[in-house]
Amino acid sequence: MTPTPQPQPEPVDPDAARPGDALVKAGGIVFIVGAVATLATMAPLFLDTDPFPSYAWAVCMLMGVGFMISAAGVLRSAAAQRTAARAPQA
């Protein structure tokens, strides 16, 4: 009886972009912009100066938006890894 050749797994490049990586990076950037905006809009409250207009406070909401974008990227990455793990079993 001859041994059945097993398929060799393809080498994985650790620097290759994976699904969801771009979303996590974009979410991080949006989060940082929101965090800086939050610091900038809160500073006048502690420095006893005139507060910024309301649209500046709206920019602070980018922290939550960035967090949600990053979370979507993590979920997409997890789904891709789960799909890849199930592929050899099929």
Side-chain angles (χ1 to χ4, degrees):
M1 178 186 237
T2 60
T4 305
Q6 298 294 324
Q8 296 295 325
E10 296 180 21
V12 177
D13 183 14
D15 295 330
R18 296 180 194 101
D21 283 354
L23 283 174
V24 172
K25 288 178 185 177
I29 292 169
V30 172
F31 183 87
I32 289 172
V33 169
V36 169
T38 300
L39 291 174
T41 53
M42 294 298 288
L45 299 175
F46 295 111
L47 299 175
D48 292 330
T49 59
D50 292 333
F52 286 112
S54 59
Y55 65 82
W57 290 93
V59 177
C60 296
M61 297 301 145
L62 289 177
M63 284 180 70
V65 172
F67 183 79
M68 294 305 289
I69 293 171
S70 293
V74 169
L75 291 175
R76 183 173 178 190
S77 176
Q81 288 179 4
R82 187 173 50 241
T83 303
R86 288 182 183 169
Q89 295 174 359

